[in-house]
Each structure stands twice: as structure tokens, then as C-alpha cells.
Amino acid sequence: IIIGCAGVGICLREKIYDTLEQMRIIIQILKNISNEVLYHKNTLEDAVKIVAVKQKEPFDDLLLHVTGRYQDNSGISFATAWQEAFEEYKDELYLSKETTEQLMTLFSATQRNPQLQYEKIRETIGRIEDELHVMEKNSSNQGRMYVCLGVLTGMISTIILI
């Protein structure tokens, strides 16, 4: 019982670390997209497709879903395709609610101007980095707390059963 409860605590701790890792990956993806838009003069759609090829799951599927959805429906905007993809994949990502909302609305107010797209992406990167720093500070304590609570719950359950 103690080991099982400690295992639950360890799983919760690993979810925190997975969230941090996914936030780092998202930041890198956004930096790559912004560089493709600004320096390589690619359209936003092409930039996302180029960056998608270099990613691991679930991010490659997510980004390819965005570009595929945008190309399949000529009447749908890129912002709408982006929002729908994040809505569909949000359960596979361990991102916080704030980060998910920031990502879903990233291109909603962006025009076709590459400079505005770049600035909006950089602004979003800054907010996500700020959130990442706060989470990194708290993750160590939260991880230990989950493991300790798991062990404590197991010990209490064992005492009650005895």
C-alpha cells in the first residue's frame, strides 16, 4: 500500500516535470516560427510547416494538423486552424490553462504583416518564459510534496487496515 501510494506521488511529480519540458519545447517552437517568419521571410503557414517537420510527438502532429486544416478549407483563417488544433490536442499536452489560452489566441489578432506576427510571437514567448520560471521555482517543492503525501497516505492507510 505504501509503495502504491508513493508511486502515485511520483507520477504526479513526473507530470510536473513533463509540463516544464513541454513548455520549453513550445518556447523553442515559437522561437523557430518567429525566426522563419522574420529572417527567412516565410509566410506563417510555411514557417509552421517547416518547424513541424523537426518536432517530436505530439508537437509534430499538432503543427501539421494546423497547416493541413488551413490548406484543406480555403475559407478558414490560419488563426482559426491554429485554435482548433490546440483545442483538439490540449488533452495530450500537459500545459497549464494560462499557457494553453495564450497559445490558442496567439494568432487571433495578427495580420498578414510579418513584423506584427514576429512581435506577437515574441510577446507570447516572454509570457510563457515568465510562467516557466515561476513553475521551475515551485516544481521542486511540489514534487517532494506529492511524493511525501503519497508515502504518508500509504502509511496512514496501512495503520488503518491494521
Side-chain angles (χ1 to χ4, degrees):
I1 293 176
I2 295 172
I3 293 172
C5 290
V8 170
I10 291 170
C11 288
L12 291 171
R13 180 187 66 188
E14 290 304 313
K15 186 175 178 186
I16 292 171
Y17 294 144
D18 288 345
T19 300
L20 295 174
E21 183 60 28
Q22 285 189 354
M23 287 178 75
R24 289 184 195 101
I25 292 170
I26 286 286
I27 289 169
Q28 190 59 47
I29 287 171
L30 293 177
K31 285 180 179 178
N32 291 343
I33 291 172
S34 67
N35 290 338
E36 289 291 333
V37 168
L38 189 66
Y39 301 120
H40 298 283
K41 305 297 184 208
N42 287 312
T43 63
L44 189 57
E45 299 82 18
D46 290 339
V48 170
K49 192 182 297 184
I50 290 167
V51 171
V53 175
K54 302 173 188 174
Q55 301 305 314
K56 295 184 284 186
E57 287 189 0
F59 298 104
D60 61 343
D61 291 338
L62 170 70
L63 297 174
L64 290 173
H65 182 79
V66 171
T67 56
R69 181 100 169 96
Y70 177 71
Q71 291 172 346
D72 289 345
N73 295 331
S74 57
I76 192 171
S77 70
F78 184 79
T80 303
W82 180 269
Q83 287 175 337
E84 289 176 359
F86 267 93
E87 185 67 38
E88 185 175 323
Y89 281 85
K90 72 180 179 183
D91 292 335
E92 294 181 36
L93 305 174
Y94 298 123
L95 302 175
S96 68
K97 184 178 178 182
E98 295 82 20
T99 301
T100 304
E101 288 174 4
Q102 288 175 16
L103 290 170
M104 287 178 69
T105 59
L106 177 59
F107 298 114
S108 61
T110 309
Q111 301 172 358
R112 302 295 295 172
N113 183 335
Q115 185 63 35
L116 291 176
Q117 292 171 345
Y118 177 81
E119 289 171 8
K120 180 71 172 172
I121 293 170
R122 285 299 179 177
E123 179 184 318
T124 302
I125 289 170
R127 281 194 240 130
I128 294 172
E129 284 177 335
D130 291 344
E131 185 179 346
L132 177 63
H133 292 305
V134 170
M135 288 182 70
E136 284 175 334
K137 288 179 184 177
N138 297 332
S139 66
S140 177
N141 291 336
Q142 284 180 337
R144 272 187 260 130
M145 180 188 69
Y146 283 136
V147 173
C148 289
L149 284 174
V151 171
L152 184 62
T153 302
M155 290 171 51
I156 291 172
S157 298
T158 303
I159 291 171
I160 291 173
L161 289 174
I162 293 177

